[in-house]
Amino acid sequence: QVQLVESGGGLVQAGGSLRLSCAASGRTFSSYAMGWFRQAPGKEREFVAAVSRNGGKTYYTNSVRGRFTISRDNAKNTVFLQMNSLKPEDTALYYCAAVLTYGELVVSTESAYEYWGQGTQVTVSS
């Protein structure tokens, strides 16, 4: 079992930055690939970014590439999402997720993820 708790969301003006954190329980955090997803009001949840078990590989959806950075600290059982140059369309509830993997894989498929946090709200004003 892995429990995930997100934090760091809030209200920010367009062009601003936020850093989301996701703290994971358990001793085998480094066995899990991690991902960030988001869900805007009235829309389906969508993939944002993913990082492999040891942080060596990352992958982003096109709309955030170059603005967001995913990283992880396995010693602290935490994954981060640094969000810069935020836009109003980035407004959403952001979730982190974990999936057990073997090897340095990035996973962008929502249905593959086994564990989810409760989400943290990000609101970007224009």
Side-chain angles (χ1 to χ4, degrees), residues 40-74:
K43 295 186 177 181
E44 294 186 350
R45 189 158 57 186
E46 64 173 356
F47 168 77
V48 176
V51 62
S52 59
R53 300 192 319 174
N54 292 326
K57 294 182 179 179
T58 58
Y59 182 68
Y60 301 90
T61 192
N62 286 341
S63 62
V64 309
R65 188 172 290 118
R67 300 188 297 123
F68 291 11
T69 302
I70 188 171
S71 62
R72 65 191 294 163
D73 184 341
N74 286 347

Side-chain angles (χ1 to χ4, degrees), residues 11-29:
L11 173 65
V12 63
Q13 289 188 334
S17 298
L18 283 174
R19 190 193 196 201
L20 305 184
S21 299
C22 174
S25 66
R27 301 181 181 178
T28 59
F29 179 68

